[in-house]
Amino acid sequence: MKQRTRKTQNDTQITETLLTKSPAEAAGFIKRGEVAAFPTETVYGLGADLFNAAAIEKIFAAKGRPQDNPLIAHISSNEEIWRVAREVPPTASRLIEVFFPGPLTLVLPKDADVPPIATAGLDTIGVRRPRHPLAQELLRACRTPLVAPSANLSGRPSPTTWQAVQSDLGGRIACILQGEPTEIGLESTVVDCTGEQPLVLRAGAVTLEQLQAVIPETRLAGHDPAAAPKSPGLKHRHYAPQARIRLIDRAAPGVNTNNSGYIGLNQPEGSYKLVRVCGDTAEYARELFEFFRECDRAGVAEIHCQRVGEEGLGLALMDRLRRASQAGER
Ligand code: AMP
Ligand code: MG
């Protein structure tokens, strides 16, 4: 289908966003240098051909993403890693054997052919092989690695449904490949494999414990905000709804909660406007970003999020909750 665009008075491009369930149709847009959103097991991504710098620029423009925030390359097979990385250290090979395909991104030395815009000028590149069947079909149909950040407006919660993508990026991107709500709901684990020991730059569904079971030396990167960020995107405002986020241990009775939302593992006391009680940490992670968006639609002023233990997936969940709660201060 031909892409139709027109310009508004202030020169912003309005694009008709096609909704499709066909990976082949979505691939057609990407092959023509457009961008298309697609589901993965983590969150929805916004994909462009890794070797087309002009297409990658459209990702940054559509999202309003800062140019110093690198993108993750998505591949359809383990062999394809050689199209994006110039070296795969032994630690990375081990992690690939165990966790690919899946919600794990490995930071590796980048191949010279990768355009600088993809990695924000870094000499390294994040590489992931998603396991979602639609993502895999799309990648195979494109016959090229795709760069794909989360398919949200920069700073907003990552999209876990195609409707969330449409609400943020409808009219700004060529196509949305429609799938089910995502299985995990938080972004991939990012592990830097360029040093002596694997360093977890961003926690995710592949947990620190799982990584250490394969490579015991795996460590969490320090989160000293004054230090030069190893993972540049982490310094940016993230995951934030319009409502203020407050982290709580237990919802206390007596607080005025009429215009507040609550999400957590325990039934809260008090009369919240919107309540989501989750059966376990995995459900909490899966529901979190959509609950943020739901609260925004309901005009909720404050969202109370119950803290969880920082083991397993709890580490990633607490990381996102903390960033969302600090968003207003940045
Ligand atoms: P997103 O795709 O929106 O989840 O963001 C990708 C994130 O992955 C970035 O914000 C970085 O934190 C991290 N990342 C991607 N590529 C690299 C890289 N080459 N080095 C370090 N971190 C990276
Ligand atoms: Mg993102």
Side-chain angles (χ1 to χ4, degrees):
M1 180 194 259
K2 204 174 162 310
Q3 188 57 23
R4 272 178 297 187
T5 59
R6 65 187 163 83
K7 300 221 171 176
T8 60
Q9 272 174 340
N10 62 7
D11 228 29
T12 328
Q13 270 208 343
I14 307 286
T15 304
E16 261 176 54
T17 301
L18 181 96
L19 302 177
T20 180
K21 294 196 167 64
S22 157
E25 189 169 22
F29 284 100
I30 287 176
K31 287 184 199 161
R32 292 193 294 275
E34 295 297 334
V35 298
F38 61 98
T40 79
E41 65 274 22
T42 56
V43 300
Y44 274 71
L46 181 60
D49 179 348
L50 171 72
F51 297 108
N52 183 339
I56 299 176
E57 269 175 37
K58 293 181 187 175
I59 289 184
F60 284 94
K63 282 180 59 83
R65 184 173 174 106
Q67 293 272 349
D68 64 349
N69 195 353
L71 305 176
I72 292 172
H74 292 66
I75 55 173
S76 63
S77 67
N78 289 358
E79 296 69 51
E80 207 174 32
I81 206 159
W82 295 108
R83 295 188 65 189
V84 303
R86 68 165 184 275
E87 191 194 328
V88 180
T91 49
S93 297
R94 281 291 292 135
L95 297 177
I96 288 168
E97 266 170 50
V98 179
F99 297 110
F100 273 26
L104 178 66
T105 297
L106 301 178
V107 173
L108 304 169
K110 128 181 150 50
D111 187 89
D113 288 345
V114 173
I117 186 176
T119 60
L122 296 174
D123 193 34
T124 56
I125 186 161
V127 187
R128 173 171 165 225
R129 182 180 163 206
R131 70 171 178 234
H132 192 293
L134 283 176
Q136 292 189 348
E137 273 188 60
L138 175 70
L139 282 163
R140 277 197 300 270
C142 289
R143 296 169 172 276
T144 175
L146 300 183
V147 279
S150 49
N152 53 297
L153 284 174
S154 202
R156 299 263 299 140
S158 294
T160 55
T161 64
W162 66 259
Q163 290 91 338
V165 178
Q166 190 178 36
S167 138
D168 271 19
L169 299 179
R172 303 170 72 92
I173 61 175
C175 174
I176 300 174
L177 176 58
Q178 298 168 290
E180 298 296 310
T182 56
E183 170 200 339
I184 295 167
L186 302 181
E187 307 79 358
S188 62
T189 308
V190 178
V191 178
D192 180 4
C193 293
T194 61
E196 298 263 294
Q197 316 167 324
L199 259 189
V200 176
L201 302 180
R202 177 173 77 185
V206 172
T207 65
L208 181 63
E209 295 86 339
Q210 286 174 314
L211 293 164
Q212 286 173 337
V214 179
I215 302 177
E217 295 77 29
T218 307
R219 295 286 169 268
L220 267 187
H223 288 292
D224 177 2
K230 254 268 182 193
S231 197
L234 297 183
K235 72 180 191 295
H236 293 292
R237 185 175 190 272
H238 251 104
Y239 317 121
Q242 259 113 48
R244 222 176 82 89
I245 302 294
R246 236 176 73 194
L247 306 191
I248 58 168
D249 289 317
R250 231 20 226 252
V255 272
N256 183 1
T257 51
N258 288 339
N259 199 24
S260 301
Y262 168 89
I263 183 166
L265 297 176
N266 294 111
Q267 190 69 44
E269 297 187 54
S271 55
Y272 284 93
K273 190 168 181 184
L274 283 174
V275 172
R276 185 69 40 88
V277 179
C278 307
D280 55 22
T281 312
E283 187 184 333
Y284 193 163
R286 188 160 58 237
E287 296 280 326
L288 180 70
F289 289 146
E290 191 49 36
F291 186 69
F292 282 177
R293 286 174 179 269
E294 203 179 313
C295 286
D296 279 351
R297 288 193 293 269
V300 158
E302 193 167 273
I303 307 173
H304 296 180
C305 304
Q306 190 179 25
R307 290 191 183 87
V308 297
E310 303 213 22
E311 58 283 331
L313 185 61
L315 185 67
L317 182 53
M318 281 304 298
D319 169 69
R320 304 310 189 271
L321 287 175
R322 267 195 293 267
R323 285 176 202 286
S325 75
Q326 290 159 5
E329 297 157 22
R330 291 176 184 201

